[in-house]
Amino acid sequence: MTILTHHHVLAAAMKWRTSNTEANRSAAITILKDGMTRFSDALALGEELVLLHKESGDLDIAISLLRTLERRFKQIGEETLCRWGSVLRLRANISLASNAIGAAEVDLKEAEEYYARAFEEFGTHYPRINELTTRFARAGLARLLNDESKSANLLRTVEADAESMLADARIWSRLKPHDNVWAPASRGEACLLLEWWDNAEAAYTEAIRASGAEEFPRISMAKQVRETLIPAFQRLGREIKQRLAKPNEFFLIPQVPPQ
Amino acid sequence: MPPLVLFSLVARRKLRQRSTQAAATCSTALNDAMNAIKDRLVQLFPDASIAIVQDVYVSYRVRPGEYILLVELSQAAARDGLYVVKLGDEDRLRREFDGWTACRPDGLRHDLVLTTLEAHRDKADRFIGLVYADADQIIGVDQTLSLEQAMLECIRFGVPTPESIADTLFLLYERLGLLLYRNSYTDDPLNPTLPFSPERLDRKLIENLDHLKPGSGPAFDMRANANTAADTTGLPDAMLPPNLFAMEVLDHPGDLVPRLRRGYGHGDLHGRNVLVGRIGDRVLWPAVFDYGDMGTDNLIGWDFVKLETEFKVRAYPELFEARVLPYAAEVIRTERDLHIKTEACRSANRWPNAPEDDTPLGRYRWLMLTIRRHAANHLGLYCGRSREWLAEYYFLLAIYGLNGIRFENLTEVQRLAGYLSAGVAAARYVYDRTPTGGDNP
C-alpha cells in the first residue's frame, strides 16, 4: 500500500527536468503549488519551485519565495542555501550584461556567502564547488574594476581551496543518490578552475556518461561553463582551452537551451 | 507513637527541584510536599519508629502529588529494611494494584525481577500507598541506579560494561517472559479478538496525532526538520512521515495493522522503571517497579519498543552534534543501519555477542540490537514467528515514537529523535511487509 508523501509530488513535478519546455515547467509549478498546500512541511517542494522560477527567468518571484521559505522553516537545508546562491549569481550575471557592476559585485558576494554557509553546515561538494566558482567570478570582477590585488588574492584562495577540495576524502564520501553525475561534475569544475584541462574533460565526460539520457544535468553543466566560467576567465585575461572552450558541443547540447 | 519521618539530603534536593515551579506561586510548596509525604508515610508504616526517605525517583512524566520514594524503615520490628514506595492519586494507585493483581503469577510471593506489590489502605479502604516489597535485594551494593542511567553511562564511558548491561537485559526479559509474556496470544487484524480501535494500539494515539496536525509551532518545526533532514541525507525513502503513516493506519487498519502479540505485559517498561545494582564496572539484578499500566491484554511488543525508544531519544543528543539538520541526518542514517542490521540478524538467526567497535556509537548500536534480540525471542522465536515479529516491531516503533510530541520535558532534539525513529521504522515496516520481507499474510 502506497502512502502519499511529498516525495510523490516532487517526483511528478520533476518531470520538467527530463524535458525542459515552458509547458512542462508550467505544469510542474501547478503541481508544486498544490503540493505545498497539502504538504506544507516539505521544504523540498519549495526548493524545486524556486529552481523552476529561476529557470523561467522569474528571479524576483524566486527570491520572494526563498524569503517566504526562510520565514516558514526554522532550519533550511543545503538545497535552499544553494538555491539562494544560484539565484543571486544569476542575477549578478544579468546585472553584468547591462554593466551594473556594483550590483553584480554585491550579489556575487552574497551568493558566495550562502554557498559557504551550506558547505560549512553540510560539508558536501555541491555547495563547495559553487562557492569556489562564485569566488572565481568575483576575482574576474575585481580585475574588471582594476583591483588587481584583490583579484589575485581571491584567485589564490580559489586555487588553494580547489586543490584541497579535490584531495579531501570526506567531501567525496558524503554522496547522495544522483551524485554519480554531480560528483564528477563538481570534480570537473574544480579541475577547470585549476586549469587542469585534461582532468576536467575526463571528469565531465564521466558525469555526462552517468547522466545517460537525462538532459537536465548536461544543460546545467554547460550553462555553468558558458554563463559563469567563460566570462570570468575572459575578465581575468585567460581562456578555457581544449574542448571545454565550446561547452555546447562538449556537453552535447544541440542548441542553446531555452532561457 | 507515630514514626519520625526524615528526609536525606538527596531526597530533599530532588523534592526541591520538583516543587520549584509550584514555589513560584506558593512559597511553602516544598514544605507542603514534604508534609504530605510525611502524613502518608505515618499512615503507611505506623509500627516503625523511624522512616527515612533516602531517595526520590523521577519518572518521565511527573504527576502532581505522585512520588516514588526509596524509604528506609528503622526499629520497625520485622520490617526493618528498604522499600520502594509509591504515593499518589487514589484512582491511579488502585488501577496499578488491580493491574498487578490481575497479572501476578499464581503463587508468586517473591521475585528478584518483578518486585511484589503490597497495597496499603486506610480504615475507609481507600488506597494510601503501594509498597514494592523487595527493594532490599539491590541495596547494599556499591550503587543503585536506574537502568537508563546505567545504559547512558555505558555508551558514554564503556562503564558499566556493555556485557553486564546485556546480562541485565537478559535477566529482565527472560524473567518477564516467564512470569508475564507466556500468557499471550497473536491477535490477527483479519480476525480480531476485539474490533479495531486506535486506543487498542496506543491510548494516546489520537491525542498524539492532534498535536501533530498541520499548523505552525513546534510540531510543524519537527515535521519540517525531519523532512528536510531526510531529503538532505539523500535517503528520502528512509523515512516515512510517521504522522501520515499513523493516519493511514487509522483509515485502513485492515491493510496496515500487522498481527500483534497481546497478553500479560508491564505496559510501561522503560529504563527509569528498572533499578539495577552496581558493583565495580558491572550492573546486575534488575528490579522492575511501577505497574500503573500493567494489564492482561497489553501489547507485548510495547515492553520492548518503549524501552528502546525512551532510551534512544536520550542517547542520540549525546552521540551526535547539536545542529539540528546534521543531527537529524545522523539519526536517520543510524536508525536505518540499525534496521538493516536487525534484518540481517533475523535472517541469519545470529546476533552479535559484543559491540563491533568500542565507541559510544558502537556500544549504542549493540545495546539496541540486544533489546531487539530479546524481542525476537519473545515476539518471535518463542511463539513460532521467527520472521514476522520484526514487522510487528517496526509497526510498534512507528506508533510509539509519536508520543514524544506531547512531552514538554523533552528537548527539541529529543522529540525529533523519537519522531525520526518512528518515521524510519514506518518506512522500514512498509518495506518489510513485502512478500519476501516477512511472513505476514
Side-chain angles (χ1 to χ4, degrees):
Chain A
M1 169 165 208
T2 302
I3 297 171
L4 190 69
T5 69
H6 73 273
H7 294 129
H8 297 96
V9 176
L10 198 57
M14 282 170 80
K15 283 177 185 155
W16 73 272
R17 292 192 183 200
T18 314
S19 177
N20 188 355
T21 63
E22 195 176 335
N24 283 347
R25 286 200 302 272
S26 171
I29 286 172
T30 305
I31 291 171
L32 288 169
K33 282 183 174 170
D34 289 348
M36 286 169 74
T37 307
R38 178 165 182 174
F39 300 105
S40 61
D41 50 16
L43 178 60
L45 300 182
E47 289 166 342
E48 188 67 11
L49 192 53
V50 169
L51 184 61
L52 272 160
H53 286 309
K54 184 190 143 203
E55 285 292 317
S56 304
D58 297 324
L59 292 194
D60 289 344
I61 299 176
I63 287 173
S64 164
L65 180 56
L66 280 167
R67 288 205 181 102
T68 304
L69 294 177
E70 273 196 327
R71 277 197 302 272
R72 187 185 299 169
F73 292 88
K74 262 190 188 169
Q75 302 289 333
I76 54 172
E78 178 190 75
E79 284 292 341
T80 305
L81 293 167
C82 290
R83 292 280 187 272
W84 264 117
S86 71
V87 168
L88 290 169
R89 198 169 62 194
L90 178 58
R91 194 165 73 175
N93 287 345
I94 292 168
S95 298
L96 279 172
S98 57
N99 261 344
I101 297 173
E105 166 66 12
V106 170
D107 277 347
L108 281 180
K109 191 163 186 301
E110 203 179 344
E112 186 189 337
E113 284 165 2
Y114 273 110
Y115 285 129
R117 190 176 142 197
F119 176 64
E120 190 187 326
E121 285 196 25
F122 300 98
T124 53
H125 63 90
Y126 165 45
R128 183 58 159 173
I129 190 59
N130 279 293
E131 179 193 355
L132 300 187
T133 292
T134 309
R135 202 187 306 156
F136 188 77
R138 287 182 60 217
L141 214 54
R143 191 164 184 272
L144 197 66
L145 295 166
N146 296 319
D147 193 343
E148 295 284 351
S149 154
K150 181 180 176 183
S151 177
N153 281 339
L154 288 169
L155 268 183
R156 232 189 331 270
T157 63
V158 167
E159 284 163 8
D161 288 346
E163 280 199 47
S164 67
M165 176 189 175
L166 287 167
D168 190 343
R170 287 171 307 173
I171 290 178
W172 305 106
S173 65
R174 293 177 181 131
L175 299 183
K176 298 178 185 175
H178 298 293
D179 275 344
N180 58 332
V181 176
W182 296 113
S186 291
R187 277 205 312 275
E189 198 168 320
C191 292
L192 200 65
L193 294 174
L194 290 162
E195 301 186 10
W196 297 352
W197 312 119
D198 289 342
N199 290 345
E201 283 182 13
Y204 274 130
T205 302
E206 186 186 335
I208 292 168
R209 196 177 300 128
S211 67
E214 208 183 341
E215 199 178 42
F216 178 77
R218 285 186 287 112
I219 291 176
S220 298
M221 288 183 274
K223 202 184 230 181
Q224 181 91 325
V225 175
R226 193 180 58 237
E227 293 178 10
T228 302
L229 287 164
I230 288 178
F233 268 90
Q234 285 168 349
R235 284 181 206 114
L236 287 163
R238 304 173 179 195
E239 59 178 335
I240 291 181
K241 292 186 176 155
Q242 299 185 28
R243 291 168 57 215
L244 281 162
K246 293 181 177 173
N248 285 353
E249 279 176 30
F250 184 86
F251 290 104
L252 313 171
I253 311 296
Q255 56 189 20
V256 177
Q259 299 298 304
Chain B
M1 184 164 172
L4 174 66
V5 178
L6 303 170
F7 292 81
S8 71
L9 272 176
V10 170
R12 267 187 285 167
R13 281 189 196 128
K14 289 189 179 175
L15 286 170
R16 183 184 296 278
Q17 284 169 10
R18 267 193 61 166
S19 56
T20 303
Q21 189 176 2
T25 51
C26 172
S27 60
T28 59
L30 175 61
N31 277 338
D32 292 349
M34 289 172 68
N35 286 334
I37 290 170
K38 274 184 192 171
D39 291 346
R40 287 288 188 100
L41 292 179
V42 166
Q43 285 181 283
L44 274 171
F45 304 112
D47 300 330
S49 297
I50 301 172
I52 306 166
V53 180
Q54 297 276 19
D55 206 347
V56 179
Y57 296 129
V58 183
S59 190
Y60 295 136
R61 324 320 162 203
V62 177
R63 297 185 179 91
E66 186 172 295
Y67 300 96
I68 299 174
L69 312 168
L70 182 66
V71 179
E72 180 178 343
L73 296 186
S74 184
Q75 297 169 42
R79 298 213 63 179
D80 274 19
L82 279 145
Y83 298 87
V84 175
V85 174
K86 187 171 188 177
L87 310 176
D89 172 70
E90 211 239 336
D91 285 344
R92 288 192 59 81
L93 295 179
R94 184 182 297 280
R95 202 161 57 238
E96 176 164 349
F97 189 70
D98 289 347
W100 163 253
T101 307
C103 294
R104 178 183 186 155
D106 291 336
L108 184 81
R109 284 196 281 288
H110 176 84
D111 192 76
L112 278 172
V113 172
L114 202 60
T115 55
T116 54
L117 189 63
E118 292 171 12
H120 290 238
R121 301 175 175 89
D122 63 13
K123 287 175 184 163
D125 205 32
R126 285 182 309 228
F127 278 66
I128 51 175
L130 300 174
V131 177
Y132 302 87
D134 295 300
D136 248 341
Q137 63 187 306
I138 51 171
I139 311 302
V141 296
D142 289 355
Q143 187 188 1
T144 301
L145 67 167
S146 71
L147 177 61
E148 175 186 283
Q149 192 184 343
M151 289 170 75
L152 284 171
E153 287 182 16
C154 171
I155 62 164
R156 275 182 212 133
F157 313 118
V159 179
T161 63
E163 291 77 10
S164 74
I165 302 267
D167 289 346
T168 303
L169 290 170
F170 175 82
L171 286 173
L172 172 72
Y173 281 120
E174 282 305 314
R175 198 66 195 155
L176 291 179
L178 184 71
L179 299 176
L180 299 177
Y181 308 149
R182 282 193 181 185
N183 309 297
S184 61
Y185 65 98
T186 300
D187 194 16
D188 188 338
L190 301 178
N191 185 21
T193 312
L194 291 170
F196 172 80
S197 73
E199 294 74 21
R200 292 243 313 147
L201 291 180
D202 183 351
R203 283 201 312 272
K204 301 286 186 182
L205 179 55
I206 300 293
E207 200 180 326
N208 293 341
L209 287 173
D210 278 348
H211 277 79
L212 284 162
K213 266 185 182 162
S216 57
F220 174 86
D221 293 339
M222 191 175 72
R223 286 188 279 114
N225 291 342
N227 284 334
T228 306
D231 293 334
T232 301
T233 57
L235 296 169
D237 295 339
M239 200 203 70
L240 179 60
N243 55 321
L244 299 184
F245 174 74
M247 286 191 287
E248 204 72 22
V249 167
L250 297 186
D251 287 344
H252 306 283
D255 292 329
L256 280 170
V257 177
R259 303 199 309 156
L260 298 162
R261 289 299 285 183
R262 289 184 185 277
Y264 288 43
H266 184 280
D268 192 22
L269 192 70
H270 54 69
R272 289 193 192 175
N273 278 343
V274 182
L275 291 176
V276 294
R278 179 169 175 173
I279 298 176
D281 63 359
R282 293 182 59 79
V283 289
L284 63 178
W285 301 321
V288 179
F289 62 95
D290 197 344
Y291 304 141
D293 291 317
M294 193 174 259
T296 58
D297 198 30
N298 280 351
L299 290 165
I300 304 300
W302 218 241
D303 282 3
F304 299 87
V305 300
K306 186 159 190 171
L307 186 73
E308 175 180 322
T309 306
E310 295 293 351
F311 176 67
K312 73 170 56 150
V313 302
R314 288 158 179 86
Y316 277 134
E318 304 208 8
L319 288 169
F320 301 126
E321 66 164 293
R323 287 179 304 167
V324 173
L325 290 182
Y327 163 85
E330 287 297 339
V331 171
I332 291 170
R333 283 193 204 99
T334 306
E335 287 287 305
R336 181 173 171 272
D337 291 348
L338 197 57
H339 296 336
I340 291 170
K341 184 78 180 162
T342 306
E343 286 157 22
C345 292
R346 177 186 62 171
S347 296
N349 196 22
R350 184 179 298 167
W351 297 77
N353 286 320
E356 278 180 4
D357 52 294
D358 194 19
T359 61
L361 187 57
R363 292 190 287 271
Y364 165 79
R365 278 201 208 102
W366 187 63
L367 291 181
M368 293 297 100
L369 282 176
T370 302
I371 293 172
R372 292 179 179 195
R373 177 184 198 159
H374 294 295
N377 287 339
H378 293 279
L379 300 173
L381 191 64
Y382 297 166
C383 29
R385 307 158 78 229
S386 60
R387 288 189 63 79
E388 184 184 348
W389 72 272
L390 189 52
E392 173 180 2
Y393 201 77
Y394 288 152
F395 179 83
L396 294 179
L397 279 174
I399 298 294
Y400 183 76
L402 297 174
N403 277 285
I405 187 64
R406 285 183 293 112
F407 300 124
E408 288 178 3
N409 57 344
L410 290 179
T411 62
E412 182 188 357
V413 287
Q414 287 175 333
R415 276 197 293 266
L416 180 58
Y419 183 82
L420 291 170
S421 161
V424 179
R428 213 68 203 166
Y429 172 66
V430 173
Y431 163 81
D432 201 61
R433 267 170 61 95
T434 56
T436 53
D439 44 12
N440 266 352

